mmCIF file of all heavy atoms in Angstrom:
data_model
loop_
_atom_site.group_PDB
_atom_site.id
_atom_site.type_symbol
_atom_site.label_atom_id
_atom_site.label_comp_id
_atom_site.label_asym_id
_atom_site.label_seq_id
_atom_site.Cartn_x
_atom_site.Cartn_y
_atom_site.Cartn_z
ATOM 1 N N GLN M 717 -52.596 8.716 5.354
ATOM 2 C CA GLN M 717 -51.286 8.268 4.893
ATOM 3 C C GLN M 717 -50.900 8.889 3.551
ATOM 4 O O GLN M 717 -49.819 8.626 3.029
ATOM 5 C CB GLN M 717 -51.250 6.741 4.779
ATOM 6 C CG GLN M 717 -51.301 6.029 6.128
ATOM 7 C CD GLN M 717 -51.094 4.527 5.984
ATOM 8 O OE1 GLN M 717 -51.128 4.000 4.876
ATOM 9 N NE2 GLN M 717 -50.891 3.854 7.113
ATOM 10 N N ALA M 755 -44.945 3.748 -3.794
ATOM 11 C CA ALA M 755 -43.536 3.751 -3.388
ATOM 12 C C ALA M 755 -42.643 4.136 -4.566
ATOM 13 O O ALA M 755 -42.932 3.799 -5.716
ATOM 14 C CB ALA M 755 -43.129 2.378 -2.859
ATOM 15 N N ILE M 772 -35.601 2.682 -1.822
ATOM 16 C CA ILE M 772 -37.072 2.650 -1.832
ATOM 17 C C ILE M 772 -37.568 3.747 -0.897
ATOM 18 O O ILE M 772 -37.116 3.848 0.252
ATOM 19 C CB ILE M 772 -37.625 1.295 -1.367
ATOM 20 C CG1 ILE M 772 -37.214 0.183 -2.331
ATOM 21 C CG2 ILE M 772 -39.143 1.339 -1.253
ATOM 22 C CD1 ILE M 772 -37.712 -1.200 -1.914
ATOM 23 N N VAL M 773 -38.476 4.568 -1.386
ATOM 24 C CA VAL M 773 -39.145 5.572 -0.563
ATOM 25 C C VAL M 773 -40.544 5.043 -0.280
ATOM 26 O O VAL M 773 -41.303 4.753 -1.210
ATOM 27 C CB VAL M 773 -39.220 6.943 -1.268
ATOM 28 C CG1 VAL M 773 -39.897 7.954 -0.363
ATOM 29 C CG2 VAL M 773 -37.819 7.418 -1.660
ATOM 30 N N GLY M 774 -40.879 4.887 1.007
ATOM 31 C CA GLY M 774 -42.151 4.280 1.393
ATOM 32 C C GLY M 774 -43.358 4.964 0.762
ATOM 33 O O GLY M 774 -43.391 6.186 0.590
ATOM 34 N N ALA M 775 -44.380 4.172 0.416
ATOM 35 C CA ALA M 775 -45.579 4.666 -0.258
ATOM 36 C C ALA M 775 -46.402 5.567 0.661
ATOM 37 O O ALA M 775 -46.446 5.379 1.883
ATOM 38 C CB ALA M 775 -46.423 3.487 -0.711
ATOM 39 N N ARG M 780 -47.053 -0.654 -2.803
ATOM 40 C CA ARG M 780 -45.668 -0.936 -2.422
ATOM 41 C C ARG M 780 -44.909 -1.484 -3.628
ATOM 42 O O ARG M 780 -45.497 -1.917 -4.606
ATOM 43 C CB ARG M 780 -45.636 -1.921 -1.257
ATOM 44 C CG ARG M 780 -46.196 -1.343 0.044
ATOM 45 C CD ARG M 780 -46.095 -2.366 1.171
ATOM 46 N NE ARG M 780 -46.452 -1.778 2.464
ATOM 47 C CZ ARG M 780 -47.668 -1.675 2.924
ATOM 48 N NH1 ARG M 780 -48.684 -2.122 2.195
ATOM 49 N NH2 ARG M 780 -47.911 -1.119 4.103
ATOM 50 N N VAL M 781 -43.589 -1.505 -3.509
ATOM 51 C CA VAL M 781 -42.752 -1.958 -4.621
ATOM 52 C C VAL M 781 -42.891 -3.465 -4.805
ATOM 53 O O VAL M 781 -42.951 -4.229 -3.837
ATOM 54 C CB VAL M 781 -41.275 -1.600 -4.356
ATOM 55 C CG1 VAL M 781 -40.364 -2.262 -5.363
ATOM 56 C CG2 VAL M 781 -41.079 -0.098 -4.419
ATOM 57 N N GLU M 806 -33.795 -8.927 0.142
ATOM 58 C CA GLU M 806 -33.809 -8.180 1.394
ATOM 59 C C GLU M 806 -34.451 -6.814 1.201
ATOM 60 O O GLU M 806 -35.245 -6.357 2.036
ATOM 61 C CB GLU M 806 -32.373 -8.021 1.916
ATOM 62 C CG GLU M 806 -32.284 -7.274 3.241
ATOM 63 C CD GLU M 806 -30.851 -7.086 3.706
ATOM 64 O OE1 GLU M 806 -29.929 -7.601 3.037
ATOM 65 O OE2 GLU M 806 -30.656 -6.412 4.735
ATOM 66 N N LEU M 807 -34.112 -6.161 0.102
ATOM 67 C CA LEU M 807 -34.691 -4.850 -0.185
ATOM 68 C C LEU M 807 -36.201 -4.946 -0.350
ATOM 69 O O LEU M 807 -36.959 -4.117 0.162
ATOM 70 C CB LEU M 807 -34.049 -4.282 -1.459
ATOM 71 C CG LEU M 807 -34.406 -2.837 -1.821
ATOM 72 C CD1 LEU M 807 -33.810 -1.862 -0.815
ATOM 73 C CD2 LEU M 807 -33.916 -2.499 -3.228
ATOM 74 N N LEU M 808 -36.648 -5.978 -1.067
ATOM 75 C CA LEU M 808 -38.086 -6.157 -1.298
ATOM 76 C C LEU M 808 -38.821 -6.443 0.005
ATOM 77 O O LEU M 808 -39.882 -5.855 0.282
ATOM 78 C CB LEU M 808 -38.306 -7.301 -2.291
ATOM 79 C CG LEU M 808 -39.752 -7.582 -2.697
ATOM 80 C CD1 LEU M 808 -40.349 -6.395 -3.429
ATOM 81 C CD2 LEU M 808 -39.833 -8.836 -3.562
ATOM 82 N N THR M 809 -38.232 -7.314 0.839
ATOM 83 C CA THR M 809 -38.891 -7.693 2.107
ATOM 84 C C THR M 809 -38.997 -6.502 3.054
ATOM 85 O O THR M 809 -40.060 -6.210 3.607
ATOM 86 C CB THR M 809 -38.107 -8.830 2.780
ATOM 87 O OG1 THR M 809 -38.050 -9.953 1.884
ATOM 88 C CG2 THR M 809 -38.782 -9.240 4.082
ATOM 89 N N LYS M 810 -37.885 -5.797 3.255
ATOM 90 C CA LYS M 810 -37.888 -4.654 4.170
ATOM 91 C C LYS M 810 -38.693 -3.490 3.605
ATOM 92 O O LYS M 810 -39.256 -2.692 4.369
ATOM 93 C CB LYS M 810 -36.455 -4.210 4.459
ATOM 94 C CG LYS M 810 -35.659 -5.208 5.273
ATOM 95 C CD LYS M 810 -34.258 -4.676 5.579
ATOM 96 C CE LYS M 810 -33.489 -5.641 6.483
ATOM 97 N NZ LYS M 810 -32.116 -5.160 6.773
ATOM 98 N N GLY M 811 -38.759 -3.404 2.285
ATOM 99 C CA GLY M 811 -39.502 -2.313 1.667
ATOM 100 C C GLY M 811 -40.990 -2.376 1.913
ATOM 101 O O GLY M 811 -41.686 -1.351 1.869
ATOM 102 N N GLN M 812 -41.512 -3.600 2.217
ATOM 103 C CA GLN M 812 -42.946 -3.746 2.450
ATOM 104 C C GLN M 812 -43.387 -3.104 3.761
ATOM 105 O O GLN M 812 -44.559 -2.765 3.930
ATOM 106 C CB GLN M 812 -43.326 -5.233 2.455
ATOM 107 C CG GLN M 812 -42.956 -5.999 1.196
ATOM 108 C CD GLN M 812 -43.531 -5.368 -0.057
ATOM 109 O OE1 GLN M 812 -44.737 -5.120 -0.146
ATOM 110 N NE2 GLN M 812 -42.662 -5.095 -1.036
ATOM 111 N N SER M 813 -42.450 -2.958 4.703
ATOM 112 C CA SER M 813 -42.825 -2.436 6.025
ATOM 113 C C SER M 813 -42.429 -0.981 6.221
ATOM 114 O O SER M 813 -42.518 -0.461 7.343
ATOM 115 C CB SER M 813 -42.180 -3.298 7.119
ATOM 116 O OG SER M 813 -40.774 -3.314 6.964
ATOM 117 N N LEU M 814 -41.990 -0.310 5.166
ATOM 118 C CA LEU M 814 -41.617 1.093 5.297
ATOM 119 C C LEU M 814 -42.843 1.949 5.542
ATOM 120 O O LEU M 814 -43.895 1.752 4.919
ATOM 121 C CB LEU M 814 -40.899 1.572 4.028
ATOM 122 C CG LEU M 814 -39.525 0.971 3.711
ATOM 123 C CD1 LEU M 814 -39.013 1.520 2.381
ATOM 124 C CD2 LEU M 814 -38.536 1.280 4.826
ATOM 125 N N VAL M 815 -42.706 2.908 6.461
ATOM 126 C CA VAL M 815 -43.786 3.868 6.655
ATOM 127 C C VAL M 815 -43.698 4.922 5.557
ATOM 128 O O VAL M 815 -42.702 5.015 4.833
ATOM 129 C CB VAL M 815 -43.696 4.523 8.048
ATOM 130 C CG1 VAL M 815 -43.807 3.468 9.135
ATOM 131 C CG2 VAL M 815 -42.405 5.304 8.196
ATOM 132 N N SER M 816 -44.720 5.734 5.453
ATOM 133 C CA SER M 816 -44.776 6.741 4.393
ATOM 134 C C SER M 816 -43.551 7.644 4.427
ATOM 135 O O SER M 816 -43.225 8.232 5.460
ATOM 136 C CB SER M 816 -46.041 7.585 4.536
ATOM 137 O OG SER M 816 -47.196 6.783 4.438
ATOM 138 N N GLY M 817 -42.855 7.737 3.307
ATOM 139 C CA GLY M 817 -41.700 8.624 3.183
ATOM 140 C C GLY M 817 -40.403 8.073 3.726
ATOM 141 O O GLY M 817 -39.336 8.662 3.518
ATOM 142 N N GLU M 818 -40.436 6.935 4.432
ATOM 143 C CA GLU M 818 -39.208 6.348 4.962
ATOM 144 C C GLU M 818 -38.355 5.806 3.812
ATOM 145 O O GLU M 818 -38.880 5.257 2.831
ATOM 146 C CB GLU M 818 -39.550 5.222 5.937
ATOM 147 C CG GLU M 818 -38.316 4.632 6.623
ATOM 148 C CD GLU M 818 -38.665 3.483 7.546
ATOM 149 O OE1 GLU M 818 -39.870 3.144 7.666
ATOM 150 O OE2 GLU M 818 -37.728 2.909 8.156
ATOM 151 N N LYS M 819 -37.025 5.945 3.948
ATOM 152 C CA LYS M 819 -36.130 5.526 2.869
ATOM 153 C C LYS M 819 -35.302 4.322 3.302
ATOM 154 O O LYS M 819 -34.879 4.216 4.450
ATOM 155 C CB LYS M 819 -35.189 6.665 2.467
ATOM 156 C CG LYS M 819 -35.889 7.854 1.824
ATOM 157 C CD LYS M 819 -34.895 8.931 1.439
ATOM 158 C CE LYS M 819 -35.587 10.126 0.796
ATOM 159 N NZ LYS M 819 -34.626 11.188 0.418
ATOM 160 N N LEU M 820 -35.060 3.435 2.366
ATOM 161 C CA LEU M 820 -34.200 2.271 2.587
ATOM 162 C C LEU M 820 -33.294 2.124 1.374
ATOM 163 O O LEU M 820 -33.782 2.046 0.244
ATOM 164 C CB LEU M 820 -35.052 1.002 2.778
ATOM 165 C CG LEU M 820 -34.269 -0.313 2.828
ATOM 166 C CD1 LEU M 820 -33.359 -0.350 4.064
ATOM 167 C CD2 LEU M 820 -35.221 -1.515 2.817
#
Side-chain angles (χ1 to χ4, degrees):
Q717 291 187 348
I772 296 179
V773 181
R780 293 182 172 85
V781 170
E806 181 182 356
L807 187 68
L808 183 63
T809 301
K810 292 183 176 179
Q812 303 305 307
S813 58
L814 293 177
V815 300
S816 300
E818 185 182 0
K819 293 181 180 180
L820 172 65

